[in-house]
Amino acid sequence: MTHNANSYFSVSPRQTGIRRAAWSALVMLCLLAMALTLRVAPSRAAVLHALLPGVSAKITEGVPAGSPVSSTGPVSETEEIAGGSGRVWLAESLELEPGHSRVDEFDASTGAFLSPHELNEEGGVASLVEGLAVGSVGGEEVVYVGAGANGEYVMAAYGESGKLQNIWNGAGTVNKSFSQSGGQGVGALDGVAVDNSPSLETKGDVYVATRSLEPPAFNVVDVFKPEAGGREPAKALGELTGTCASPGVCSGGEVIPFIQPDRVAVSAFNGDVLVADGNAERCIDGNAECSIDVFEPVSGMPGAYSFLFKISGTPSGPLQEIGSVAVDGSNGNIYVLDQGTKDVDEFTATGEFVGRLTGTPTGPSGSIEPFDSPRALGVDSLTQNIFVANFDEETRRNVVDVFGPDLVIPDVVTGVASELRPSSARLDGQLNPDGEGEASCEFVWGTTTEFGQIAACEPEKVTSGSAQVSVHASLSGLQPDTTYHYRLQATNKNGTNPG
């Protein structure tokens, strides 16, 4: 059996007759249940990310006083983040100017504000927080921002100068709009992405996710091939409307419609298109599945896509409320901000779970201060830095926590307790150094999930290698009729895998 991802066992006094038989049966059932719920170690190494406090503080400072922009001061309510080419953009609702918004650009490696790059509301465009992506058309950089204008959802295209160039209204889509139908506001534009992959066929393509409860026709992701200057084409290239029962291309009645596509991202690594789908309230209640649906463009067929796979959760449980999805363009790793669990989950380009960001370190002890209210997520493929916008309920401050690239840490698997005696037991597990040098391990254990006790592994250290090594620890002095919780954890030069 497991509890909060940690194993446990019970010890009992020496008994005879029927009571001994009952105890033996209980032990066997416990061991069987534990064996059934153990998870196999991932085939890829576990990872962690180091907090970059200097970069975090610099970005959180926001726009320096004296900058030639309309507003200065700390970052405000960050709703969207886009990263790429060594830079990061933040779409913010301004706390000191209610009803107004802006998009600021920063250096991804230092956190310095890149003056004078601030995109402001202009030309009737407002609420620049409905989606954010950066791409290029004909060699010119274009920043695409989901926004509002004249009571409708639109997409605003800003040029390299930071000035508004074009406004997209979705007239060339099947729905003829990003939000309207017969004069009734029914849809909502919620996600924007650009293909920055090397593909000659799809590079520069723009994706816009819209969602609605009724009519379901607005639950789509429209795809465009932008024209010069970032202008909206007369007709959309195509649209994604849902997944398939199995990997491949499907159409018509074979398509399983999206529930509510809320975010979209495109991998600059391989051109895969990722759609965050699911109604958060229904997902949390267990009445629907929140997932990241992954597609790839079909070569030679513009606007056609093949369904690859979906990510529906982690070893800890299903996705609950997808707030953001981002892809590291250097290796294809996928990052998902789950606002339900308040974590950032990391997966490989093929959907394999490899790690999780749960908060920021609080000191040398390695303890973590959990994210309070994470709002947005972004990744810069040049530095491989990860940006998490978080609102601290206690200090009432908006911060941007920046984390460095993947650091490989040892893989561990906590095994089943054995040799159970009235006052002793043996803990077993497996450790894989993953080729990152010497790794040490220990079992933490105690009568609660806070543990409090440490038992050194035998062997205590494992030299570099990429194979699993069996480790164990013997416990003594245990109290009868007591449940103990335990977990194997391991450390190398990069950090600790808590198991």
Side-chain angles (χ1 to χ4, degrees):
M1 288 176 283
T2 58
H3 180 75
N4 289 344
N6 309 311
S7 296
Y8 68 89
F9 63 90
S10 298
V11 295
S12 176
R14 203 179 305 273
Q15 299 170 331
T16 59
I18 295 176
R19 296 191 67 187
R20 173 179 290 184
W23 163 241
S24 298
L26 177 61
V27 171
M28 291 304 296
L29 286 172
C30 184
L31 292 179
L32 178 59
M34 292 174 74
L36 290 174
T37 56
L38 283 177
R39 297 186 182 278
V40 177
S43 59
R44 155 160 186 179
V47 299
L48 57 73
H49 298 267
L51 178 70
L52 304 178
V55 185
S56 303
K58 191 65 176 177
I59 289 185
T60 298
E61 288 176 4
V63 182
S67 298
V69 294
S70 61
S71 58
T72 60
V75 295
S76 191
E77 297 182 46
T78 304
E79 307 287 352
E80 299 284 348
I81 301 178
S85 303
R87 293 167 294 164
V88 61
W89 290 259
L90 309 182
E92 307 167 68
S93 296
L94 302 181
E95 290 180 305
L96 300 180
E97 302 176 42
H100 292 280
S101 58
R102 71 185 185 200
V103 177
D104 295 320
E105 181 182 352
F106 299 86
D107 185 289
S109 60
T110 66
F113 174 68
L114 296 179
S115 178
H117 281 187
E118 180 184 73
L119 315 182
N120 292 294
E121 298 174 344
E122 58 179 300
V125 172
S127 299
L128 305 175
V129 293
E130 305 299 339
L132 180 63
V134 183
S136 64
V137 180
E140 180 182 356
E141 183 176 271
V142 180
V143 180
Y144 300 94
V145 189
N150 301 318
E152 295 188 30
Y153 285 96
V154 300
M155 189 171 69
Y158 290 81
E160 291 182 350
S161 65
K163 295 297 182 182
L164 179 67
Q165 286 188 323
N166 295 283
I167 299 175
W168 297 32
N169 59 19
T173 67
V174 173
N175 289 316
K176 308 301 181 185
S177 168
F178 294 133
S179 59
Q180 298 290 318
S181 177
Q184 299 294 319
V186 294
L189 189 159
D190 252 2
V192 177
V194 178
D195 187 331
N196 290 310
S197 72
S199 171
L200 296 178
E201 292 185 81
T202 62
K203 184 177 178 62
D205 287 358
V206 175
Y207 296 75
V208 179
T210 58
R211 63 179 176 87
S212 66
L213 291 174
E214 296 293 340
F218 267 84
N219 289 322
V220 300
V221 176
D222 292 303
V223 190
F224 303 86
K225 181 73 72 175
E227 297 180 349
R231 292 193 303 272
E232 180 179 10
K235 185 178 181 180
L237 193 65
E239 66 174 8
L240 284 161
T241 59
T243 62
C244 307
S246 58
V249 179
C250 59
S251 60
E254 299 176 321
V255 176
I256 303 171
F258 292 131
I259 299 171
Q260 276 190 326
D262 201 11
R263 293 289 187 272
V264 61
V266 181
S267 172
F269 179 71
N270 55 20
D272 285 354
V273 181
L274 293 79
V275 181
D277 184 34
N279 179 284
E281 183 177 340
R282 292 170 60 193
C283 291
I284 292 175
D285 291 341
N287 296 321
E289 179 184 71
C290 280
S291 62
I292 303 296
D293 302 326
V294 184
F295 305 82
E296 69 174 348
V298 178
S299 181
M301 298 176 62
Y305 297 85
S306 176
F307 173 61
L308 296 178
F309 61 90
K310 67 169 53 186
I311 299 171
S312 300
T314 71
S316 298
L319 297 176
Q320 295 182 14
E321 185 178 356
I322 302 171
S324 293
V325 57
V327 185
D328 186 338
S330 67
N331 57 21
N333 278 15
I334 300 165
Y335 294 83
V336 181
L337 169 58
D338 190 331
Q339 293 177 320
T341 62
K342 299 183 179 180
D343 298 321
V344 175
D345 298 312
E346 180 179 358
F347 305 84
T348 65
T350 56
E352 181 182 12
F353 177 73
V354 293
R356 166 174 288 168
L357 280 169
T358 61
T360 57
T362 58
S365 64
S367 58
I368 299 294
E369 179 68 28
F371 293 126
D372 203 338
S373 181
R375 302 285 182 84
L377 165 73
V379 182
D380 171 49
S381 56
L382 183 63
T383 62
Q384 294 186 290
N385 287 348
I386 304 158
F387 303 82
V388 182
N390 183 41
F391 179 71
D392 190 316
E393 297 285 354
E394 183 176 345
T395 63
R396 310 301 297 174
R397 293 182 64 238
N398 292 282
V399 300
V400 177
D401 295 315
V402 185
F403 300 85
D406 282 348
L407 294 174
V408 177
I409 54 178
D411 278 330
V412 293
V413 177
T414 301
V416 178
S418 62
E419 300 180 12
L420 300 180
R421 302 288 188 271
S423 62
S424 64
R426 170 176 162 143
L427 308 182
D428 291 282
Q430 292 183 315
L431 163 66
N432 186 337
D434 286 315
E436 284 293 311
E438 184 179 82
S440 61
C441 67
E442 60 191 11
F443 287 89
V444 291
W445 62 281
T447 55
T448 71
T449 53
E450 296 298 322
F451 308 113
Q453 305 287 332
I454 295 176
C457 288
E458 297 181 31
E460 186 175 356
K461 295 183 178 181
V462 177
T463 56
S464 182
S466 299
Q468 287 188 336
V469 176
S470 295
V471 297
H472 70 275
S474 297
L475 305 185
S476 60
L478 304 178
Q479 297 299 311
D481 291 322
T482 304
T483 297
Y484 289 90
H485 304 257
Y486 66 99
R487 186 183 68 205
L488 174 63
Q489 60 185 35
T491 302
N492 67 4
K493 62 181 184 295
N494 295 326
T496 298
N497 183 350

